[in-house]
């Protein structure tokens, strides 16, 4: 697999590499003339970054899908109403929007690697504390702590990929998207049986995921320590103007040299991408938070409902790797967004007309629809021409997108409680899929936000 990444075509990414000195620097294994090559530091550093990306990605969704699998038990244990449960499923989007805005500034101050490391610590603490908070307010507060760590890591993953692997954006985005899908599916499939194995307590079933988050802290600790101890191979000296330092972990002074004149809000493509990101996030969080309940209300056993959610999530494991690679080879990624949206519409129709009879088919179709997320991440890298641009676009598209997604899961909970069924919630989900398809088609056009805003500035 790694060999395939190295040989990936770079036709669509070449425009992004000319604005940074990093690829040329990486081709040199030694910074001193006449010195014998020393590939080991670069090799272990690059591999450790890949390990860090994968472990981080594995932890970006279990906090949400593990809760979805046990939502009924959590509601009963904490005395939650349907409306409060709907609010709980909206909390991830709110935290991602609020805390995601802080990520670029924190990365400039401390370096992306340090911020991601802190994010993994926050996830570990939040997941360990929330099951034992004892009341709804404490549960929400501990969940917010974990989601804060997820939010900053969400924003900075594309930034680290762009700077460490500027010629392999599609492959590396696919790799960590695949790991994210795997973590999502594993949490959905394993949480219920793991809870039973741990004695049947939902608190133990939720708290167990803190162990995986703690494991993800390790590679970033080593990378952050190495940044302070020695220069990263391929990094330019700190005094050289206009160059990048350690990719993904650069020091604050170097990061501040990146151009800061991009007015991202003037770009129509940026807005289209933000809307696409927000609506696909709405669909994903409704699916993760409520799909097991839809099946359980249709008479499907709790364990099977968890497996159906796992099927939906596991579909993203291979597709999250394939879709970014395909997208980087196409001149227009809009048709992919359309195809994924049509899968979602078909799945919603199936949940309305025959939720139990065709449960496995609807789970598969919604799994295809959820792959709009790795497509959105890939578009963030493809619609920019610089590392500074990808940081701004990532923060804007994800923070604005998550703000857009906040009302969706909450409305589903309110409609479900007051209507007593799933007809109105599914109608809402269907209505939201139409603008998602349109926005995805517009965001898939071959252009960069830098060029777009520059043209507007000349008018």
């Amino acid at each position: 697999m790694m060999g395939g990444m190295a040989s990936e075509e770079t036709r669509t990414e070449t425009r992004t590499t000319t604005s940074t000195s990093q690829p040329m620097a990486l081709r040199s294994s030694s910074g001193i003339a006449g010195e014998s090559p020393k590939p080991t530091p670069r090799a272990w550093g690059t591999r450790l970054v890949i390990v860090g990306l994968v472990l981080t990605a594995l932890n970006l969704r279990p906090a949400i899908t593990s809760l979805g699998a046990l939502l009924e038990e959590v509601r009963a244990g904490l005395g939650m109403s349907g409306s409060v449960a709907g609010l709980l499923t909206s909390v991830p989007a709110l935290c991602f929007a609020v805390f995601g805005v802080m990520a670029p500034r924190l990365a400039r101050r401390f370096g992306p690697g340090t911020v991601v490391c802190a994010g993994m610590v926050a996830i570990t603490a939040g997941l360990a504390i929330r099951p034992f908070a004892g009341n709804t307010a404490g549960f929400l507060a501990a969940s917010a702590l974990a989601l804060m760590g997820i939010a900053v890591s969400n924003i900075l993953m594309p930034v680290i990929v762009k700077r460490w692997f500027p010629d392999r954006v599609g492959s590396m985005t696919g790799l960590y998207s695949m790991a994210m899908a795997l973590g999502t599916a594993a949490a959905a499939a394993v949480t219920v049986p793991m809870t039973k194995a741990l004695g049947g307590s939902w608190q133990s079933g939720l708290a167990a995921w803190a162990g995986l988050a703690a494991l993800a802290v390790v590679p970033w600790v080593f990378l952050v320590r190495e940044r302070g101890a020695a220069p990263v191979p391929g990094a330019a000296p700190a005094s050289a103007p206009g160059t990048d330092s350690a990719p993904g972990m650069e020091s604050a002074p170097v990061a501040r040299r990146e151009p800061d004149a991009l007015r991202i809000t003037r770009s129509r493509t940026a807005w289209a991408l933000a809307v696409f990101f927000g609506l696909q996030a709405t669909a994903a969080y409704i699916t993760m938070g409520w799909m097991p309940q839809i099946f359980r209300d249709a008479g499907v056993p709790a364990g099977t409902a968890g497996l159906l959610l796992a099927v939906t999530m596991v579909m993203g494991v291979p597709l999250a790797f394939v879709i970014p690679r395909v997208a980087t080879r196409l001149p227009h990624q809009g048709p992919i967004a359309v195809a994924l949206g049509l899968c979602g519409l078909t799945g919603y129709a199936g949940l309305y007309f025959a939720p139990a009879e065709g449960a496995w088919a609807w789970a598969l179709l919604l799994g295809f629809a959820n792959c709009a997320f790795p497509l959105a991440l890939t578009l963030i890298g493809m619609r920019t021409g610089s590392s500074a641009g990808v940081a701004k676009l990532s923060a804007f598209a994800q923070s604005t997108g998550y703000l857009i997604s906040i009302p969706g899961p909450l409305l589903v909970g309110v409609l479900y409680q007051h209507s007593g069924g799933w007809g109105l919630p599914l109608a809402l989900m269907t209505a939201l899929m139409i603008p998602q398809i349109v926005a995805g088609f517009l965001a898939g056009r071959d252009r960069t936000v830098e060029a777009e805003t520059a043209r507007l500035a000349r008018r």
Side-chain angles (χ1 to χ4, degrees):
M1 182 169 66
M2 298 308 298
M5 293 177 194
S7 62
E8 177 182 328
E9 295 179 19
T10 59
R11 174 175 55 83
T12 57
E13 286 99 336
T14 52
R15 65 173 178 269
T16 70
T17 62
T18 57
S19 61
T20 176
S21 62
Q22 187 60 33
M24 183 176 294
L26 286 177
R27 284 194 290 267
S28 175
S29 61
S30 175
I32 303 174
E35 185 178 321
S36 59
K38 295 181 180 179
T40 303
R42 176 198 164 190
W44 80 259
T46 302
R47 289 168 186 164
L48 202 56
V49 171
I50 293 174
V51 171
L53 285 172
V54 171
L55 287 176
T56 298
L58 285 171
N59 282 281
L60 294 182
R61 293 299 177 267
I64 302 164
T65 51
S66 62
L67 177 59
L70 294 174
L71 185 58
E72 187 170 306
E73 289 76 9
V74 173
R75 285 179 59 188
L78 297 178
M80 287 185 189
S81 66
S83 298
V84 174
L87 174 63
L88 183 60
T89 57
S90 294
V91 167
L94 176 62
C95 290
F96 293 168
V98 172
F99 297 119
V101 175
M102 302 161 49
R105 181 172 296 181
L106 290 172
R108 286 195 296 270
R109 175 65 180 86
F110 302 104
T114 303
V115 177
V116 171
C117 182
M120 293 300 103
V121 173
I123 295 172
T124 303
L127 293 183
I129 294 170
R130 75 172 180 177
F132 308 104
N135 54 60
T136 300
F139 189 92
L140 288 171
S143 295
L145 175 61
L147 293 167
M148 177 178 65
I150 296 173
V152 294
S153 301
N154 271 337
I155 298 296
L156 295 178
M157 293 282 272
V159 177
I160 292 174
V161 166
K162 187 82 166 183
R163 289 181 177 171
W164 272 93
F165 311 98
D167 57 340
R168 289 184 280 165
V169 171
S171 290
M172 296 308 301
T173 300
L175 178 64
Y176 83 74
S177 297
M178 182 173 65
M180 190 183 304
L182 181 60
T184 305
V190 172
T191 299
V192 171
M194 182 170 61
T195 299
K196 294 179 179 178
L198 293 173
S201 168
W202 62 265
Q203 288 96 337
S204 299
L206 292 182
W209 293 103
L212 181 63
L215 185 63
V217 175
V218 177
W220 295 110
V221 169
F222 281 105
L223 285 165
V224 170
R225 288 181 61 188
E226 185 65 19
R227 182 198 69 177
V232 174
S239 60
T243 59
D244 288 336
S245 182
M249 297 179 296
E250 73 282 357
S251 59
V254 176
R256 281 195 290 267
R257 292 192 191 103
E258 301 243 14
D260 197 38
L262 179 61
R263 299 180 64 181
I264 201 77
T265 56
R266 300 188 63 183
S267 168
R268 294 178 181 177
T269 298
W271 279 106
L273 185 51
V275 172
F276 177 63
F277 196 99
L279 293 177
Q280 68 80 28
T282 300
Y285 289 121
I286 291 173
T287 298
M288 287 186 284
W290 289 107
M291 195 177 82
Q293 193 66 50
I294 295 175
F295 286 128
R296 292 176 74 168
D297 287 351
V300 176
T304 305
L307 285 175
L308 286 165
L309 178 59
V311 167
T312 299
M313 299 298 109
V314 83
M315 287 298 297
V317 176
L319 291 176
F321 187 71
V322 172
I323 287 176
R325 292 173 64 87
V326 172
T328 56
R329 287 164 167 77
L330 296 177
H332 194 319
Q333 294 75 40
I336 302 178
V338 173
L340 296 176
L342 292 175
C343 289
L345 291 174
T346 307
Y348 295 152
L351 288 176
Y352 179 77
F353 290 107
E357 294 81 358
W360 295 101
W362 316 140
L364 288 171
L365 284 169
L366 292 175
F368 279 105
N370 274 359
C371 289
F373 178 69
L375 175 62
L377 292 179
T378 306
L379 290 176
I380 289 174
M382 296 184 68
R383 296 288 85 91
T384 56
S386 66
S387 56
V390 76
K392 284 197 170 185
L393 182 59
S394 180
F396 174 76
Q398 294 198 50
S399 296
T400 305
Y402 285 125
L403 278 175
I404 293 171
S405 73
I406 289 171
L410 177 60
L411 285 174
V412 167
V414 172
L415 291 173
Y416 172 57
Q417 181 174 0
H418 290 281
S419 68
W422 288 103
L424 288 177
L426 286 169
L428 172 65
M429 293 157 69
T430 300
L432 292 176
M433 186 60 71
I434 305 300
Q436 176 185 320
I437 293 173
V438 175
F441 187 85
L442 294 176
R445 295 173 297 176
D446 186 14
R447 59 195 64 191
T448 66
V449 295
E450 290 93 344
E452 201 170 53
T453 55
R455 284 196 302 270
L456 290 172
R458 288 194 295 268
R459 291 180 182 177

